[in-house]
Each structure stands twice: as C-alpha cells, then as structure tokens.
Amino acid sequence: MTKPDLLMTGPMMPLVQEGLAQRFTVHKLWEAADKEAMLRAVAPSIVAIATGNHSPTDAALMGRLPNLKIVGSFGVGYDAVDAVWAGEHGIVVTNTPDVLNEEVADTALGLLLCTVRELPQTDRYLRAGRWLDKPYPLTGTLRDRKVGILGLGRIGKAIARRLDAFGVPVVYHGRSEQKDVGYRYYPTLVGMAKDVNVLLIVAPGGEATNKIVNAEVLEALGPDGVLINVGRGSVVDEQALIAALKAKTIRSAGLDVFEDEPRVPAELIAMDHIVLFPHVGSASVHTRRAMAQLVVDNLVSFADGKGPLTPVAETPWPPRS
C-alpha cells in the first residue's frame, strides 16, 4: 500500500519521526538543501504536516499544498499554526492537550516558589561560600499572597488545585466567566491585578492576547506584585516588564517563556531578583513522550479514516455544517 505523504517542518522527537514513518512517507523540510525546490516537488502530494512550532505553519505554507488535510502540532499552544485559515479551508489542526497539564502545573508552582522564596538565589549564595559569613536574608512567603490566574483552562485549573492545597486564595480572569468553578471571576485584567499580589499567566499566545499584560496591568499589580508566566511570552509586553522591574513597580518575576525565544533580553538576564527558566514547563521525559505519541496518534488516526483525536477549537471534528 502506498503511504500518504507528510511534510515535517523541523526536527521532532525520534518517537514522532519513527512513528510517522511507519504510516507516512515523511519529507523532512529542514534537511533539504533547497527547501523551495523540495516544496515545489512534493506540494501536490502532501496530505499532512507535522510541526513542532519551530516555524510558522501559516496560510502561505498551507496554501501551497492543495491536498493538505491535517496539521499535527506538538504542544498545547498552537499559535504558530494559522488555525483560523486552516478551518476556513477544510484543514484540521490538532494539538497535544491534557497530557502535559500536570507537568506544567508542577512547574508553575515550582517557579512561583522559586521566585517568592528566592530559592535559586539561595543556592548561588551557598555555592559562593557566603553562608560562612552570614545567613541568607529572610525572604518573602506565599502565606500572605493571593494569586490571580490569567487563563483558567485545563492547566490553569490544575495550578489552582495545587494552590488550594497550599492554602493560597485563587481568583481568575479570562474571556468569560466559568459557572462551574468556585473561584471569583474578574471581568477585567486590570481589576484583578489590583486585587492580587501574584499574577500567574497560563494564557495562550495569538492576536487576542498579544501584550495584554502591559504597563497598566503591571502598575495595578503594584510594588509587592510578582508576575509568573508559564503561558506564552507574547502575552507580556516584555519592555514594559523590564521597565517595571527596574523601577520596582513590581517586586519580582518568574518567567518560563519569552517573547523571542530562545533569545532572552540581556536586561532580564542581568537581574538577580527574578527567576528565569528556559521554557521547561512540560520538559520531562515522561510528558514529552506522551505529547509526541499524541502527535503520532492524531495523524495516524486521521489517515486511517477515524478522524483526529484532539482537534483544536477552530477546526472541530466532525466539521460543523
């Protein structure tokens, strides 16, 4: 049986590459000496794309593939894929939700604790031999804090459950109020920022959330405020954040994501009172394997005529009539 043709836009985990090779003829775009020539040659036969968000899967690319039926994206966020355009042109987009919820929630709590209790700084203090001179100064605490979650989706709820166990009050802001949760809803982000001293971002990227955490929001968060971001770097106005940290408009920040990853502004790297992670929210062997397998399962299921397992909201399955 002839295998259908799949375009892989960049390097992906061996589990993905090997799993897809069993069911598809895989064309590895990043390995082509002449990418344009390769695209021209294979474009008519491509029915699927596998992408790890390493390059935009936009209308310009998808529009060149007349028989494209599905895009399998690695990660819960899929802002590098133009899902709206795909949906308008009958192309299904899948992501990898749920399998990473707990890992990212664990990381979010770890980042919050590291930031508030200054745990990375205490480690550096000990290694530098400074404990021999005097104890590390007393730090902040979670005990007197209220956390406002921006984006109470699957991961946001997993974070909220952990904060419940820590005895930390939780409120939230999002596109709309969720009637089935017991946390207080704020209709405006600024309004929530005024009432909390931790703003924890789990919101996805995209035009709707681009730089919505701006100077006004940071001003509302206040001088004891802590910003934690495990969502997307684009949600925060990075220059406004740098200015707020320098001016002590807010107290500190813990960031796992950045606007132009993996490039991180030198101004942030130079600050010792913040905590920076290199986008490791879901980066455990266990969770990344589960995500990789879901990419494969989505594409194989679709190729076998069973439909996608986890289509995104913009491309529901079965398609709406």
Side-chain angles (χ1 to χ4, degrees):
M1 184 178 70
T2 303
K3 294 179 181 179
D5 289 272
L6 176 145
L7 182 70
M8 191 173 290
T9 60
M12 301 185 76
M13 291 177 63
L15 190 156
V16 176
Q17 298 191 44
E18 294 163 9
L20 292 177
Q22 294 178 28
R23 186 63 178 80
F24 296 88
T25 297
V26 178
H27 302 274
K28 299 177 180 179
L29 182 60
W30 77 97
E31 291 185 350
D34 186 336
K35 294 180 177 60
E36 282 299 313
M38 176 188 173
L39 278 174
R40 286 194 299 269
V42 304
S45 63
I46 295 296
V47 298
I49 289 176
T51 181
N53 285 331
H54 21 56
S55 57
T57 303
D58 52 17
L61 175 60
M62 291 186 284
R64 298 180 64 175
L65 311 175
N67 292 302
L68 181 64
K69 300 293 189 295
I70 185 169
V71 176
S73 181
F74 182 94
V76 66
Y78 52 94
D79 40 299
V81 180
D82 191 339
V84 172
W85 188 94
E88 292 170 350
H89 292 80
I91 299 166
V92 178
V93 177
T94 66
N95 64 340
T96 60
D98 294 322
V99 293
L100 75 170
N101 295 353
E102 304 305 322
E103 203 75 71
V104 177
D106 288 349
T107 305
L109 262 292
L111 183 55
L112 175 59
L113 283 167
C114 281
T115 305
V116 172
R117 292 297 318 279
E118 303 176 19
L119 300 181
Q121 292 92 328
T122 63
D123 176 84
R124 294 195 293 269
Y125 188 90
L126 181 151
R127 292 174 187 274
R130 299 175 65 188
W131 191 17
L132 297 169
D133 299 326
K134 60 181 179 179
Y136 189 85
L138 300 181
T139 71
T141 178
L142 284 184
R143 303 280 65 82
D144 57 359
R145 291 193 171 272
K146 179 192 291 187
V147 174
I149 296 178
L150 172 57
L152 195 71
R154 297 179 180 96
I155 297 172
K157 290 183 175 70
I159 294 170
R161 290 196 303 272
R162 285 158 173 76
L163 290 168
D164 289 342
F166 274 69
V168 176
V170 173
V171 298
Y172 75 100
H173 168 72
R175 286 174 295 183
S176 58
E177 184 174 4
Q178 301 181 44
K179 301 298 184 182
D180 59 342
V181 301
Y183 308 111
R184 179 181 173 183
Y185 172 72
Y186 282 79
T188 70
L189 180 53
V190 169
M192 183 176 75
K194 287 179 179 177
D195 279 3
V196 302
N197 45 26
V198 175
L199 176 57
L200 199 158
I201 303 167
V202 206
E207 291 184 11
T209 61
N210 188 51
K211 291 182 170 56
I212 59 171
V213 178
N214 54 23
E216 182 185 9
V217 172
L218 296 170
E219 181 74 28
L221 187 57
D224 192 41
V226 172
L227 178 76
I228 304 293
N229 191 2
V230 295
R232 278 290 186 263
S234 61
V235 176
V236 177
D237 183 334
E238 214 162 70
Q239 291 306 308
L241 174 61
I242 291 168
L245 288 166
K246 286 181 175 179
K248 299 184 179 179
T249 302
I250 65 172
R251 181 186 182 91
S252 186
L255 309 173
D256 185 46
V257 290
F258 303 88
E259 191 173 342
D260 186 27
E261 298 176 7
R263 288 160 288 277
V264 177
E267 296 98 325
L268 290 176
I269 293 174
M271 294 179 186
D272 191 56
H273 69 299
I274 65 175
V275 179
L276 308 176
F277 287 178
H279 201 155
V280 295
S282 64
S284 71
V285 173
H286 169 87
T287 296
R288 288 292 172 87
R289 285 186 61 86
M291 293 165 65
Q293 189 61 55
L294 188 50
V295 172
V296 174
D297 292 346
N298 265 300
L299 292 166
V300 169
S301 178
F302 190 85
D304 288 345
K306 300 174 184 176
L309 304 178
T310 55
V312 303
E314 295 88 344
T315 65
W317 190 268
R320 298 189 186 102
S321 57

